[in-house]
Amino acid sequence: MTYMDKSLEEIHEALISGKVTSDELVQESLKKCHEVQNDINAFVTILDDAKGGEVTKNLLSGIPYGIKDNYSTKGILSTGSSNTLKDYVPFFDATAVANLYKVGAIPVAKTVLDEFGMGGTGTTGHTGSVLNPWDHTRMTAGSSAGSAASVAAGVYPYALGSDSGDSIRKPAAYCGIVGYKPTYGMISRYGLFAYASSLDHCGVLSRSVADAAIVVDAMKGIDKNDMTTWDSKDIHLRQSLTGDVHGKKLFYIKELCDIANYPHANAELKSHLANFQATIQKCRDLGMEVVEESFDNDLLKALPSVYVVIACAEATSNMSNLTGFIFGPRGEGENYIEMMKDHRTKGFSPLIKRRFIIGSYVLQSENQERYFKNAQRVRRLIVDKMNDFFKKYDGLIMPVGSGPAKKFGHHDNLLSADTQALEEHLQIGNFGGYPSITIPNGFIDSLPVGVNITGRCYDDANVLNMAYALEQAMPYKNQIAKEVK
Amino acid sequence: MSKYNVAIGLEMHCEISETNSKVFSRAQNAYTDETNVFVAPLDMAFPGTLPVLNKECVRLSLMMSEILNCRIPEYLAFERKNYYYPDLPKGYQITQNTKPIPIGMDGYIDIEREDGSTFRVGIDNIHLEEDSASMTHLYDTSEINYNRSGVPLLELVTTPCLHSADDAVTFLEYMRAIYQYCKISEADSKKGQVRCDVNVSISENDTLGTKVEMKNVNSFSGVREAINYEISRQSELKDAGRYAEVEQETRRFDEETGTTKRMRSKVDAIDYKYFVEPNIPKYRITEDLLAEIRKSIPELPYERKSKYMEKYGLSANDARILIKDIHTADYFEECLNLGIDAKVAANWINGNILGYVYKNEQDIADIYLTPSRLKVITEAVKSGKISSKQAKELFALTLERQEEPENIMKNEGMNQISDASSLQAIIVGILDENTSQIEQYKNGKTNMFDYFVGQVMKSTRGQANPVIVKEILTSELNKR
């Protein structure tokens, strides 16, 4: 009998009834970590010394979980998947982690990410690429690559992720699981290694909407260490999942979902968009109204560049603390400048260096108006447009990406240019700080694909309930990855 | 004085020392000789740490902004100034540089010179920011002390409206007094709490010349020297027809030599890549909050000065000295509360007490001679118990021995002799022994009178009441 492939409520029930102990769960999870590590390379650290804990009324007590390695964990190596912090053991816990300790949750692994959350491939961590558990020749996407892969592989019921562009919600789709990023400020970012502060969100990867709700109920809360947090004590996500969505209104973006807009469309994209329409039909069957809406095409085209400019600018500043003087390996050199250069030259991957240069360039006083300030303005326009839609609609429903997970060594082609906005529209959720959740909605060529619902700020309960209802209408809840190729 | 028009602008950095914690972290905001004890994770920029704004710092900054007649932004916001230096662990300083972000903009303050004339100083802006760590550079290594990292700092930037080193220093001294009066900062240069950047340009007409900036001048006397050095350096170059050699540059003031040396030219100026700090949400500054802050502004130095002149009849000069330092003004007001006459108190403070304080580099608030002990002395003089000469002696002994003035008077037998009959006997005795001196006096050597007074004082060990001595001596001399 195994438990780590079950839902939180089922595992809790087994613990309460004495069918299994917390210690046994931890051992099962650790064993599974080691089993899958060779295949999918999801972990920076497996916490072999982890012990079971007290089981209380809380649904998370005594149950193992994974933590993305950009969360600060007291006494546990926290690398951000970067050589600049390869030996860094923090002396304080991120607030979200501390909150989970409070309810008795038990961390068993720190998971691989794209270095400091920058990147969407799962291939840039200092411990190597994360492999998709459904197909080892494919990527998981990122940056919460190890968390997505390990939850999909059935190592534990959930893992923490972070999301600055789509870093929870895209790997979730490619791994056939649920990825939820709540409203900005619902979960404290204190202790989350900063990538792009105005876009960074904490969140969770799980195998069901209910599990995601239970975990975020425990992670969230106002924090005196993070001024951007807000009081959500009257929001009870798990309790809000009624499945009643009658009369809810969703919209989707015509320009991105109409196959006629993709002259180079391949079979994958065609199936993906057709599958999306089938999902929409399910929503309608549930009593929701779903309407096609037109979004300004110029704004859609601008999405990727707005994201790159803002994210890189904030990143280059946020990561200026990585000098090797106070933490991280001390660089070599005759003076502090040489030492710092040595540390950063050796420590960062080429992708990050490229982003730092972009960030630095767009912030230079002679460029700032043209790039950074304009990016902020366009961000505002996109958010205003979304907020207008949210006056009419409870949420935006969209397909995630242009199909299933990409192969390693995948190269951009003609189609990529057409599908860029389709690949990156989840960034809208970060621009506006909106609650946003991805759930699996089918398979293409035996590989999972996902659908996303994004709603109004502070309206997390509503967004999750719509996702919950849709999840009930489809057979993908709690699915575990089966290697298909 | 330069024959050219001189334009001086100042940047005065003053640490806010009177809050419990630092501006963005919960570490204690205090000064200590022990290194690296007041440090929170943010102050060393550990990954994942976030700034949390100290509301008391905001309140005090808004108070300064009001005092300086500044325009206050609708929203409170901060931005990052990005640069690499080992004393800046985050790699950026959280500050308020770009208008309309500074907490105060486009204000002014009127300043009085010693001669009573006034001048107006334009305030470009005042903003709240964090201090960097402090560094000690040794032979082949440098030490970093993070106690100062994140200490709240107010930076005040004037327009280039000052025209002399004297005016610049008068302005800085008054600003220091305001910081102290408002309980914002001790503003102690010795603790590095006040640091200035100075920029100077000269010109033959009304347009501004090439601006030269001097960084980190750490004392007001340094500011005076740096300005005067720079005026003469630039003037000499201009006189020699070599004004083109004056470059827009940043120079370092060297306290040892009183000269300035080039640090970097405008060409090498750092691009700080300012952008809004995303971790501190914009916060609306309401009129209610400002009204509350305006109400809480204490009596400012010039207000006290007018009060001292109008209500207590002090001279402008006495009043000016008293208000310069809040501890002096507080000492004076405590004297008034104890019932010491205002002029008497002012004379004591501005004379002997401040002389003692400066000589011994002490704070008037810490000296043994408290206002209540001073009162013992002034009362004794008032009642005629001791002479003013004895009072000076008593003052010195009180401070020297750290002993109650009553005890000293008792132990030293300090008692003024005002009894006319005993004084007459002493005077008659002295005159009898100095017949040749009386002769000289009678022959017109009138300063012999002081000689007789001196003899009386000598024989009474200074206890004789000089007024009565003079009366008796005059009549006794007339008799002979």
Side-chain angles (χ1 to χ4, degrees), chain A residues 138-154:
Chain A
R138 288 178 191 262
M139 300 185 253
T140 53
S143 64
S144 307
S147 286
S150 55
V151 170

Side-chain angles (χ1 to χ4, degrees), chain B residues 32 34-37 133-135 143-149:
Chain B
T32 171
E34 210 177 327
T35 55
N36 292 315
V37 286
S134 53
M135 290 184 77
E143 291 174 348
I144 307 177
N145 180 357
Y146 294 95
N147 283 346
R148 204 181 71 182
S149 174

Side-chain angles (χ1 to χ4, degrees), chain A residues 189 191 317-318 321 336 365 368, chain B residues 45 48 80 82 85 271 274 279:
Chain A
R189 286 177 296 117
S317 173
N318 277 334
N321 64 336
Y336 81 89
S365 50
Q368 203 177 106
Chain B
R80 293 183 183 178
N82 296 282
Y85 199 69
D271 182 349
Y274 289 98
N279 292 312

Side-chain angles (χ1 to χ4, degrees), chain A residues 72 85 88 91-92 184 189-193 197-198 224-228 313-314 317-318 320-321 323 326-327 336 340 344 360 363-366 368 372, chain B residues 26 41-53 80 82-86 88-92 144 146 271 273-281:
Chain A
S72 185
L85 292 179
Y88 174 58
F91 55 92
F92 62 95
Y184 188 77
R189 286 177 296 117
Y190 186 76
L192 176 73
F193 298 172
S197 310
S198 75
K224 62 184 184 318
N225 289 321
D226 178 357
M227 290 185 80
T228 63
E314 292 185 12
S317 173
N318 277 334
S320 301
N321 64 336
T323 56
I326 301 178
F327 37 77
Y336 81 89
M340 187 173 70
R344 292 172 71 89
S360 211
L363 281 178
Q364 275 170 11
S365 50
E366 66 267 35
Q368 203 177 106
F372 185 65
Chain B
R26 280 203 297 272
L42 178 76
D43 306 326
M44 293 181 77
F46 279 96
T49 52
L50 296 168
V52 177
L53 180 60
R80 293 183 183 178
N82 296 282
Y83 64 98
Y84 286 100
Y85 199 69
L88 192 71
K90 292 197 293 296
Y92 56 84
I144 307 177
Y146 294 95
D271 182 349
K273 305 189 181 82
Y274 289 98
F275 74 98
V276 167
E277 166 59 65
N279 292 312
I280 302 176

Side-chain angles (χ1 to χ4, degrees), chain A residues 83-88 322-331 343:
Chain A
N83 278 315
T84 57
L85 292 179
K86 64 187 172 68
D87 301 313
Y88 174 58
L322 301 168
T323 56
F325 295 130
I326 301 178
F327 37 77
R330 182 73 63 96
H343 169 82

